[in-house]
Amino acid sequence: MTLLHFQPENVARQTEDFFCWACDRASLSEKPGSEFQMGRTLNALRGTAVIAALLIGGSGQAQQGGQSIFVPVDLTGLAGDLGVEVDGIDMTEFVSIADGGIVIAPGAPLPPGTYEVVVYLWQGNDYEVIASMSHDVGGGGAGGSGTELAVTATTEAGVRNLNGEDENTMARSAGEVEVTTVDNRLNAGAAWLATTEPDEELDGRPVDLGEYFVEWRHFGQRADTTFRMGNQALEYDRLMVADLTRRGLSAGIATTDGRVELGFFGAQVSPDLGGDNLAGLNDADDRAMGGMVVFTPSEALDFRIGLAGVQGRGDPGDLLQTGEGAAAGLFVRGSFDDGRTRYLLDFGVARWDEDAELAGAEPETTRAALFGIERDMLLEDERSLTLGFAVEHVDTGFVSLANPSLADARRDLRLTTIYDSGPLSFSGMLEHQTTNVNGPADYETDHIVTAEIDGSYFPYHNGTPPAWMGTPEVIFGAALIDQRRVETPAMAPDPADFLSLEVYGGLVVQHDLWGWSATYTYSDFDDQAAVPADLVSHRIDGTLDWSDGEKIDMALNAAVTWNDEPLGAFYDTEFGLSLSYEIVPGKWTASTEVTWYDYGAPGAVDGASIGADLTWSFAPATDLIFSGGWAEGGDAVESTQDPEWFVGLMLRHQTNFTRGGF
Amino acid sequence: MLRIRFLLVVASLFAMPFAAGATVTGVSVSPDPIVVNERGSALVTLRWRVEVTTSLPVTLESASGTVIGGPVAETPGRRLSKRVSAAGVSTHRFSDRIRISRAAIAALASGSTVVYQRSWNDGSGAVVENVALTLGSGGELSVRNASLRFDDGSYYAIVDEGAPLAAVLRLTSAGAGRFDGIWQVSGPAGTGSAAFRPVGRVRTTLAGSRTSVIESPALPTDRPGLYRVRLLPGPSAGADTAGTFPILTYVVTGAAGPDALGLLSPAPGKAVTPSTRFSWDGVPGASLYRLEFFRASGTGGLAGRRVAAVDLPGGATSARLKPFTFDRIRRADAALWRVVALDANGRPVAASPARRMGGGASFGASR
């Protein structure tokens, strides 16, 4: 491991206890072979002695990689810690000091291409860029050359006999192809599924496309541009455009100094697979378009302000009707006090006609606002405490076609905490929600208070547990929900107050070849309605994984739940086991899987099944699989018989093809 | 001949499911009325109480439950039946979990009278009980949006044998109630069972208007083939509720990809702060570990882009972020992270699953 720490001192100082983000002190103390070389003084700069404390791991890993990048940088009079990024990858651990600058020896070979190298000087949470440059690998000029094609696929065909009566032949092929240029300017990929089984078809066709994308990037002098067609991953803010993973077209432009960003998109509203509507824009009743602009007024200030908007027609959720509307908003992001305090503000207005101009519901104008702030109250080397506060107000009926999972009709006040130390960490939340915000006057209003905590504890965080014990982790948590009616208009339903408590605790143990876990969960639902339906349950879950490291792999899980409900008390029991054995490694493999479940709830469907495979790898990437199985109850679904059984024979071939440099 | 006729009459009396003298004397149900939200579909558990007076053993039965009103006529309720052995007056309880569709709620919102109806057959005639539906802002647990994807954000996944994979359900709900779901997987198709078998259970209380993220346990990828995964709403769910949430397809190829690399901390969904320590299991043969951060659709082969990374030598099993890396992931709204172990030639020897990051202590916190 390499550490670089500069102090403008005249005296060489051996500093063992310095503050370093990338240092893993625990690993240092656990590695008796580590060597420390301290106090090298650089005298290359006039009038100022710069002290560099250089720490090299005993393995000499700083020298691995085979490629070195020299970055000329003036280190005169600098105070703080040095950090280095290569194309956004922090490679500080692989940096050493040389005359006139620094040398980066990447830990893994860099493919041919052009790389952006940035050198930072940082102290605490503050940092600045002190040097940057472009570096070419592989002899390329402004852009590299060469294209890589990768294909992964599995193709199989077989026959299956059910209950000794019905025989079915089947065939299928599934895989993906990816094309990448070494300079990362063009990336494309597509996944397909071809099958003779109608139940397996992705979109009603025997041969069909799953997900795909084509992305082109242009790196300019003043701005970088990205175009993408296919499955998107769009998130501009938290109200207008968030978590949008649909088919469409998008474009993004960002100035090289990062101060201005523009984005545009057109996408299908509903999630879809298949070869139809590849661009996602063919159906005017299932399409949204929008954009955003973000501006950073000053590079010296962490403050960004942006606008986002979306409009279109579609069904944004489980509404079964096409609506039409638009939404626009303003968002702010930023931090101060060396980034220890962070904040966001989103405000939006939406106009939505839920039946798209049909004679029926009138369009509604609604508003939403989110504000959040969090601060690192404690920020030490091994401990941190972050407190947060948020207010969220979303009118009833607020809809953005590009944010289908946004919950409306609420006003939330929320306090949060995150504590992280070496052995102990936990997060907590206290929230108060008011429902029916700006909703119909004849609907009821409730207050819902939620308190949660989740955490973990590593008893051997700074030590080594006994070998037989593995690495244990204690997990714990609780959630309390209290719902109270505060307003019941004349025709509104009666109060449905309740108090719910869930508590869990468990132990998770991990070892190289085995692991196990046991968790207990208690739930208590105290229904305070006129006709209560109280629920109490106790559940124990257990898992066990074991391998001999060579031929045998086993995984087991089991759970027992005792439920006390208005209809009575009953047990639910679930069990699963999978086992594989390499009879002749690389040639013959046997595997089996057993499932059994018994639900005590009235009307519940129980089931059990056992299946076994014998695989013969008779040729490279080609297997012949003999299979058989038996199922009853809920697992006997392929025929009218219960129990049912099957035997089958299948031929399978794997394709893994990678070709580059064409 | 007379003896044979006598025996036939006696046998026919015992063969009848409802002998003469059995009477359903009372039916009640809770909740009554059923309060539903105007948008979305509702998951409702009804508790029926049926009183029977009988002199002979009978089978008390309701063949189905129907939602009717306006243009809607649906049958979400399954058959309920119970053998009544004791003579005299007895009371019997049934749990009836149904999904009231958006179409039925839309009919209710448009002014139609919509009811849920069951007919209890006592042999001498049917006793019909109707439960009215009514609109409210709270009411029963209502599903407004359910987005089921894989943990990398994709809707269809191709993964190597042994690779980690999980499904994630983003559930936008309103109202209140117990959410009892079973993660189920079928396959591998052709060589395995076609039935959906349980791989995990979700039991929690949801209340108010919120978006919840529910992650499945690790999905089976130990055998090649085509699999399908779904989240079934509860063991007592009727046949209609199987269509409540989408079904995803994934294919496990026989290619041996990188070994699984275990992540230790932070836990899924935890917010990342400048002092967060990322830790993982060491992997033999690793020359370098790369801690990577991705936007919403991250490590899936067909979507998403890496926004930042940290390279660490092979002996490292944990790291904290420098401020410039923390700022990079914060500005890019990175949502996923993973660790990849590389050998001296830069080839991956092990990779962890993509793990979700929280959006900050206060930002977007949701159960």
Side-chain angles (χ1 to χ4, degrees):
Chain A
M1 175 177 64
T2 304
L3 167 74
L4 301 174
H5 183 209
F6 294 87
Q7 287 181 321
E9 300 274 348
N10 290 328
V11 177
R13 175 183 299 173
Q14 292 191 358
T15 54
E16 288 190 33
D17 190 23
F18 41 75
F19 183 74
C20 169
W21 284 98
C23 288
D24 182 358
R25 300 217 191 165
S27 69
L28 279 175
S29 61
E30 292 167 357
K31 296 198 308 185
S34 298
E35 298 175 359
F36 296 80
Q37 184 173 357
M38 313 291 290
R40 175 184 298 174
T41 303
L42 295 181
N43 194 26
L45 305 166
R46 183 183 306 170
T48 302
V50 177
I51 298 169
L54 182 64
L55 202 69
I56 300 176
S59 61
Q61 292 171 339
Q63 301 306 315
Q64 288 188 352
Q67 300 162 311
S68 296
I69 304 172
F70 175 75
V71 182
V73 57
D74 186 357
L75 303 174
T76 308
L78 297 178
D81 293 310
L82 209 64
V84 176
E85 279 186 341
V86 176
D87 259 18
I89 302 175
D90 178 358
M91 292 192 181
T92 306
E93 295 299 300
F94 301 92
V95 172
S96 57
I97 301 170
D99 287 342
I102 60 174
V103 175
I104 309 166
L110 297 175
T114 301
Y115 294 86
E116 182 188 12
V117 181
V118 180
V119 182
Y120 300 92
L121 188 71
W122 60 276
Q123 203 165 33
N125 288 316
D126 196 18
Y127 63 92
E128 61 174 326
V129 175
I130 61 172
S132 65
M133 57 176 270
S134 290
H135 178 76
D136 291 333
V137 175
S145 62
T147 304
E148 185 173 281
L149 170 71
V151 178
T152 302
T154 182
T155 305
E156 52 192 25
V159 60
R160 201 162 183 271
N161 184 288
L162 186 64
N163 297 325
E165 301 169 352
D166 301 320
E167 194 165 281
N168 182 35
T169 56
M170 63 190 71
R172 64 180 64 83
S173 172
E176 60 184 11
V177 55
E178 290 193 61
V179 177
T180 308
T181 57
V182 292
D183 58 2
N184 216 25
R185 291 180 188 275
L186 179 67
N187 291 278
W192 74 87
L193 174 63
T195 176
T196 59
E197 302 302 295
D199 290 344
E200 298 171 4
E201 294 172 357
L202 291 177
D203 196 27
R205 280 194 293 262
V207 182
D208 219 340
L209 190 67
E211 298 202 344
Y212 85 99
F213 81 105
V214 179
E215 186 174 274
W216 178 79
R217 303 173 73 186
H218 171 74
F219 303 100
Q221 290 280 347
R222 297 183 179 179
D224 298 335
T225 308
T226 303
F227 292 99
R228 183 180 176 102
M229 175 178 172
N231 286 84
Q232 305 289 327
L234 298 174
E235 188 155 342
Y236 293 163
D237 64 333
R238 290 179 188 266
L239 283 180
M240 303 299 122
V241 184
D243 191 36
L244 184 66
T245 55
R246 307 284 192 264
R247 283 188 172 176
L249 300 173
S250 68
I253 304 171
T255 56
T256 51
D257 60 6
R259 292 183 62 185
V260 179
E261 296 178 46
L262 296 170
F264 308 95
F265 75 92
Q268 191 171 356
V269 175
S270 58
D272 198 10
L273 294 172
D276 289 334
N277 197 12
L278 284 179
L281 304 177
N282 290 356
D283 187 354
D285 286 336
D286 187 21
R287 183 174 68 199
M289 295 187 178
M292 69 91 181
V293 56
V294 178
F295 176 58
T296 303
S298 170
E299 288 184 7
L301 192 64
D302 181 15
F303 176 82
R304 292 173 293 153
I305 185 167
L307 299 171
V310 59
Q311 65 87 27
R313 293 168 65 102
D315 180 357
D318 189 19
L319 305 180
L320 294 184
Q321 65 179 3
T322 298
E324 181 177 24
L330 172 83
F331 59 93
V332 171
R333 303 282 185 273
S335 71
F336 54 90
D337 193 14
D338 291 334
R340 291 187 64 162
T341 304
R342 301 168 289 278
Y343 60 90
L344 66 83
L345 173 66
D346 286 43
F347 177 76
V349 179
R351 185 157 178 83
W352 181 253
D353 183 349
E354 67 177 18
D355 59 3
E357 298 179 353
L358 295 176
E362 291 295 318
E364 290 184 348
T365 299
T366 52
R367 292 167 179 79
L370 314 177
F371 170 74
I373 186 167
E374 64 177 14
R375 177 166 177 83
D376 299 324
M377 305 300 293
L378 179 67
L379 202 62
E380 298 176 355
D381 196 25
E382 288 286 333
R383 287 192 307 164
S384 68
L385 175 66
T386 301
L387 298 180
F389 172 74
V391 179
E392 299 184 11
H393 174 111
V394 185
D395 281 348
T396 301
F398 185 93
V399 174
S400 169
L401 284 174
N403 191 2
S405 61
L406 178 69
D408 68 336
R410 60 187 171 91
R411 183 182 305 114
D412 298 337
L413 300 176
R414 186 183 307 119
L415 294 173
T416 55
T417 181
I418 302 174
Y419 177 75
D420 196 0
S421 71
L424 175 66
S425 64
F426 64 83
S427 62
M429 181 191 79
L430 178 63
E431 179 187 273
H432 178 279
Q433 180 175 103
T434 301
T435 65
N436 195 31
V437 172
N438 288 337
D442 54 352
Y443 282 3
E444 72 280 18
T445 300
D446 294 301
H447 282 174
I448 303 171
V449 175
T450 304
E452 295 179 353
I453 184 170
D454 293 280
S456 64
Y457 175 69
F458 285 90
Y460 290 93
H461 172 76
N462 286 323
T464 304
W468 61 266
M469 181 179 288
T471 303
E473 176 189 7
V474 177
I475 59 173
F476 58 89
L480 182 73
I481 304 175
D482 182 50
Q483 175 168 305
R484 299 289 152 189
R485 177 68 55 84
V486 293
E487 188 176 330
T488 307
M491 301 301 293
D494 292 336
D497 299 348
F498 70 88
L499 181 68
S500 168
L501 174 66
E502 296 174 9
V503 179
Y504 74 90
L507 183 64
V508 180
V509 178
Q510 294 177 328
H511 195 270
D512 287 344
L513 295 176
W514 54 265
W516 61 269
S517 70
T519 308
Y520 167 75
T521 306
Y522 168 76
S523 300
D524 186 350
F525 186 89
D526 180 13
D527 189 351
Q528 296 163 7
V531 181
D534 295 342
L535 307 171
V536 175
S537 73
H538 303 265
R539 180 177 174 91
I540 296 177
D541 291 271
T543 64
L544 173 65
D545 300 287
W546 178 81
S547 171
D548 68 348
E550 294 180 358
K551 293 187 174 184
I552 305 175
D553 285 294
M554 185 196 77
L556 183 152
N557 63 83
V560 177
T561 310
W562 179 79
N563 305 280
D564 187 1
E565 300 188 0
L567 295 180
F570 54 88
Y571 282 94
D572 291 340
T573 311
E574 296 144 299
F575 172 81
L577 169 69
S578 67
L579 183 66
S580 70
Y581 176 64
E582 288 205 49
I583 303 170
V584 178
K587 279 293 183 184
W588 289 94
T589 305
S591 62
T592 186
E593 186 165 331
V594 178
T595 304
W596 177 79
Y597 49 98
D598 184 295
Y599 298 122
V605 178
D606 306 328
S609 66
I610 181 169
D613 290 347
L614 180 64
T615 302
W616 175 30
S617 303
F618 65 92
T622 307
D623 301 324
L624 188 65
I625 304 107
F626 308 90
S627 61
W630 172 92
E632 71 168 6
D635 282 3
V637 296
E638 295 187 69
S639 69
T640 56
Q641 294 188 24
D642 185 3
E644 63 185 20
W645 59 273
F646 73 90
V647 292
L649 184 68
M650 179 167 291
L651 182 66
R652 175 182 295 136
H653 179 76
Q654 309 294 337
T655 302
N656 273 283
F657 170 82
T658 302
R659 184 182 172 193
F662 63 90
Chain B
M1 185 63 74
L2 184 62
R3 181 179 298 176
I4 293 174
R5 285 181 186 167
F6 173 75
L7 288 174
L8 286 173
V9 168
V10 172
S12 67
L13 286 174
F14 280 99
M16 286 177 62
F18 301 104
T23 305
V24 174
T25 54
V27 179
S28 64
V29 62
S30 173
D32 185 6
I34 301 171
V35 182
V36 294
N37 274 266
E38 189 169 341
R39 302 205 327 269
S41 58
L43 300 174
V44 184
T45 299
L46 294 156
R47 294 168 296 280
W48 292 92
R49 187 172 177 275
V50 183
E51 189 177 86
V52 175
T53 301
T54 180
S55 56
L56 292 170
V58 297
T59 298
L60 177 61
E61 180 184 59
S62 172
S64 63
T66 307
V67 174
I68 51 177
V72 174
E74 302 169 346
T75 311
R78 57 188 166 80
R79 177 178 177 269
L80 302 176
S81 69
K82 190 173 184 180
R83 183 71 175 168
V84 180
S85 304
V89 179
S90 57
T91 301
H92 307 275
R93 294 178 172 83
F94 300 88
S95 175
D96 186 10
R97 186 162 176 82
I98 62 172
R99 172 181 173 241
I100 298 175
S101 73
R102 171 63 188 126
I105 296 175
L108 180 67
S110 65
S112 299
T113 298
V114 181
V115 299
Y116 178 65
Q117 182 182 93
R118 270 200 180 272
S119 171
W120 295 93
N121 195 327
D122 62 0
S124 60
V127 175
V128 179
E129 181 72 14
N130 291 324
V131 187
L133 269 63
T134 186
L135 291 175
S137 70
E140 301 293 330
L141 186 63
S142 166
V143 176
R144 299 196 169 182
N145 184 274
S147 171
L148 184 64
R149 289 171 270 170
F150 293 105
D151 51 8
D152 64 357
S154 61
Y155 295 96
Y156 170 60
I158 309 286
V159 296
D160 294 329
E161 184 177 348
L165 184 70
V168 178
L169 177 72
R170 290 179 67 91
L171 184 71
T172 303
S173 61
R178 289 283 292 175
F179 182 78
D180 185 358
I182 305 175
W183 286 104
Q184 297 183 324
V185 171
S186 76
T191 59
S193 172
F196 278 94
R197 58 192 182 278
V199 295
R201 193 89 179 260
V202 180
R203 309 185 79 203
T204 189
T205 300
L206 298 176
S209 187
R210 64 185 61 255
T211 301
S212 306
V213 179
I214 302 170
E215 188 163 322
S216 77
L219 299 177
T221 60
D222 54 321
R223 289 187 289 166
L226 185 145
Y227 295 77
R228 304 169 80 201
V229 56
R230 72 180 184 185
L231 178 61
L232 188 70
S236 302
D240 182 59
T241 56
T244 301
F245 301 128
I247 297 176
L248 296 181
T249 300
Y250 69 97
V251 176
V252 177
T253 69
D259 292 338
L261 187 154
L263 299 177
L264 299 179
S265 65
K270 281 196 123 180
V272 171
T273 69
S275 68
T276 296
R277 179 175 293 278
F278 296 83
S279 61
W280 55 90
D281 289 328
V283 175
S287 291
L288 176 134
Y289 292 100
R290 180 164 289 168
L291 170 61
E292 299 180 310
F293 297 89
F294 295 83
R295 295 200 65 170
S297 287
T299 55
L302 302 185
R305 190 184 322 143
R306 187 181 68 197
V307 299
V310 181
D311 275 2
L312 299 141
T317 55
S318 69
R320 283 159 60 192
L321 303 179
K322 298 182 185 65
F324 46 86
T325 304
F326 180 80
D327 259 4
R328 189 182 283 276
I329 67 172
R330 183 172 60 85
R331 293 188 184 199
D333 273 339
L336 300 166
W337 66 279
R338 73 166 184 176
V339 176
V340 181
L342 308 176
D343 63 14
N345 296 316
R347 283 190 293 265
V349 297
S352 77
R355 179 169 283 189
R356 284 182 302 107
M357 292 162 47
S362 291
F363 309 154
S366 181
R367 293 187 68 226

